[in-house]
Amino acid sequence: MKKYLTALIFGILIYSCDDVFEYSPYAIDFEDHETNLTLKNISKLSSLSVSDTLTIALTGDSHRFYDEIEDMVAKINTEYNIDFLIHTGDFTDYGIPKQYHWSNMLFSELNAPYFVVVGNHDLVSNGEDSYQEMFGDFNFSFIYSSFKFIFMNTNSREFEFNGNVPEINWLKQEIKPDDNFEKAIVVFHAPPYDGDFDPALKEEFMNTLHENDNVLFVTHGHLHSFNLSQPYSDGIPFLNTASAEKNKFVLVKIFENEFKVDVINF
Amino acid sequence: MLLIFKHITLLKRSFIAFIISVIFALIPLNSLGKEPNSNWLKTFYPNHYKVQFAGGIGFLSAGFGYDFFNNRVDLSYFYGYVPQWHSEEDLHSVSLQISGKPFKLDLTHKVKYYPLNIGIFIHHTFGEEYYLTLPDHYPEDYYWWYPGRTGGLFIEGQLNYRYKKPDQNFSEIGFYYRIVTRGVYLTSKFSNSSIPLEDIFSLGLGIVIYY
């Protein structure tokens, strides 16, 4: 009897050392501090005191460039006082839970909150579940100062161009002017001129961005290299963030509905 | 629809393989009414059966396999299952592994210890999202890896105990523990000092019964 009891206690002991066992590379088993981060970070924002100038760090396409993420976070923490950081997607390389865990481990060292829009790499295998578990909904928005930040999934190819990604009707609702914000900043991963964006929705998407003439700029990733241009020559600036791989990040300062862009090397 | 069908058949295949191995295990050779030596089926009978906890191939895995070169090389096939309460959804998978046992210590005439076995494995998870060929909605070479197939390495220690005469069935049992890593974890660690070393390793525990 004693023998069985010892075995049972030993078994329970081993079983409780959850971290040392892996059941599958696809088993999603995040700890509490790794879940529901979008809402948690939005609530952090509401406790910040808003100054006249917003300072936002932008990065994206960090894939497996973990050391670069670490260097970037250290640089931001020591030299810049940012309101928050925006990650324009491809937070992971293969969309596996371990990569979500590692990227978050490094980004959570930031002194400021951070927000991640979903990238195509984040959706491979059961990445869809991991993203939702760690961050929450693919499409979300929040208002900070007099700006509305709208994050949306534009990875149409990952959803087999089913006509529902991006969700234009959702964007239409979100971008509709109201008393709480003056300008909108739209964040997504794949830009509309890319082959991974549903070609059937491209025009409607751009029309929606124009509908209320209230978009300050849009920012996206997917292409890895920094770029600031107006691909449609229509007054909407497109800001392509730099991948951490390039040892660069983008610093945006927004003041009285104007914005200034700096590329910072680290 | 076709993909769902493919998924079901793949799953079926793994179940069938598992069930066949269980049947092999449950029918002692003698009950077939033939001399074991004259039974051609004997060649295909597994040499051992395993049950494993964790180790990256399932919450619980059951397998069978063959021993070569006087028990110095082990080839095993596992079916592994992860129940929903350890993940977002149930996961079914199979894995094939081969290991070498270069060292053997005879502790007593009944107890043997293999202190450092070295093995590699490939692991296939079933399901539409764990594909082995790039689905049609991607251009060629869009992604360079296939989520359905992963692989890795392990080192292992194993303690065997013989409780019956060697010519009897199920005469030997073994316990093993292994430290496992996967290719994708190793390459991440190699190129990034920011990844904690302990994060790329995990533990597996198992029992093996020799036929």
Side-chain angles (χ1 to χ4, degrees), chain B residues 62-78:
Chain B
F64 65 93
Y66 302 90
D67 299 304
F68 305 98
F69 306 111
N70 198 21
N71 209 8
R72 292 310 180 105
V73 173
D74 172 317
L75 181 74
S76 293
Y77 175 83
F78 281 93

Side-chain angles (χ1 to χ4, degrees), chain A:
Chain A
M1 192 59 213
K2 220 172 167 185
K3 224 162 51 181
Y4 293 114
L5 203 68
T6 318
L8 184 72
I9 290 169
F10 188 63
I12 291 169
L13 208 69
I14 283 174
Y15 189 59
S16 60
C17 306
D18 209 23
D19 275 0
V20 300
F21 295 109
E22 181 179 275
Y23 305 135
S24 157
Y26 299 113
I28 302 167
D29 209 1
F30 296 136
E31 293 182 23
D32 282 351
H33 66 89
E34 298 174 304
T35 60
N36 206 13
L37 295 179
T38 298
L39 281 180
K40 284 177 187 167
N41 278 321
I42 289 174
S43 74
K44 271 186 206 164
L45 278 186
S46 61
S47 63
L48 293 181
S49 57
V50 182
S51 63
D52 295 344
T53 306
L54 289 193
T55 309
I56 302 162
L58 294 164
T59 186
D61 299 289
S62 51
H63 294 261
R64 270 190 287 163
F65 307 110
Y66 301 114
D67 282 2
E68 287 81 355
I69 299 173
E70 191 180 41
D71 293 346
M72 176 172 62
V73 167
K75 174 102 175 173
I76 294 172
N77 277 347
T78 51
E79 294 181 29
Y80 300 93
N81 188 15
I82 60 166
D83 289 270
F84 56 88
L85 176 140
I86 290 174
H87 190 297
T88 54
D90 285 357
F91 187 69
T92 68
D93 206 15
Y94 297 176
I96 58 178
K98 189 75 116 189
Q99 294 178 337
Y100 272 96
H101 166 77
W102 281 337
S103 292
N104 181 59
M105 174 187 80
L106 297 165
F107 275 105
S108 63
E109 289 296 313
L110 270 175
N111 296 334
Y114 78 97
F115 299 94
V116 179
V117 76
V118 69
N120 57 305
H121 280 251
D122 304 324
L123 294 162
V124 178
S125 67
N126 61 343
E128 201 174 323
D129 292 336
S130 289
Y131 180 92
Q132 286 167 337
E133 176 92 358
M134 180 169 274
F135 295 108
D137 291 339
F138 293 145
N139 298 334
F140 63 93
S141 71
F142 58 83
I143 291 168
Y144 187 68
S145 181
S146 55
F147 303 97
K148 187 167 195 177
F149 293 84
I150 301 170
F151 292 70
M152 65 185 307
N153 173 19
T154 59
N155 308 294
S156 321
R157 188 183 297 282
E158 296 301 319
F159 295 87
E160 302 180 36
F161 300 106
N162 65 6
N164 297 322
V165 177
E167 266 184 70
I168 309 269
N169 285 335
W170 179 83
L171 178 62
K172 276 188 178 156
Q173 288 302 316
E174 289 294 319
I175 213 162
K176 219 179 254 173
D178 66 39
D179 296 343
N180 299 318
F181 73 99
E182 286 173 33
K183 290 278 183 186
I185 289 145
V186 186
V187 184
F188 45 88
H189 181 66
Y193 52 83
D194 189 88
D196 294 338
F197 192 106
D198 196 335
L201 298 174
K202 198 165 112 178
E203 207 184 321
E204 215 188 334
F205 181 77
M206 287 311 297
N207 289 342
T208 308
L209 291 181
H210 277 287
E211 212 163 77
N212 309 296
D213 199 23
N214 63 350
V215 174
L216 185 63
F217 65 90
V218 302
T219 181
H220 65 88
H222 202 44
L223 307 175
H224 289 234
S225 297
F226 167 75
N227 188 278
L228 178 63
S229 64
Q230 290 192 21
Y232 297 98
S233 311
D234 58 355
I236 295 185
F238 274 60
L239 171 56
N240 185 3
T241 58
S243 161
E245 166 196 19
K246 313 271 183 189
N247 288 82
K248 287 180 170 71
F249 70 90
V250 179
L251 201 72
V252 177
K253 287 187 191 270
I254 307 172
F255 180 73
E256 285 182 353
N257 296 348
E258 298 284 328
F259 71 101
K260 190 176 145 280
V261 174
D262 270 321
V263 180
I264 314 286
N265 295 298
F266 59 86

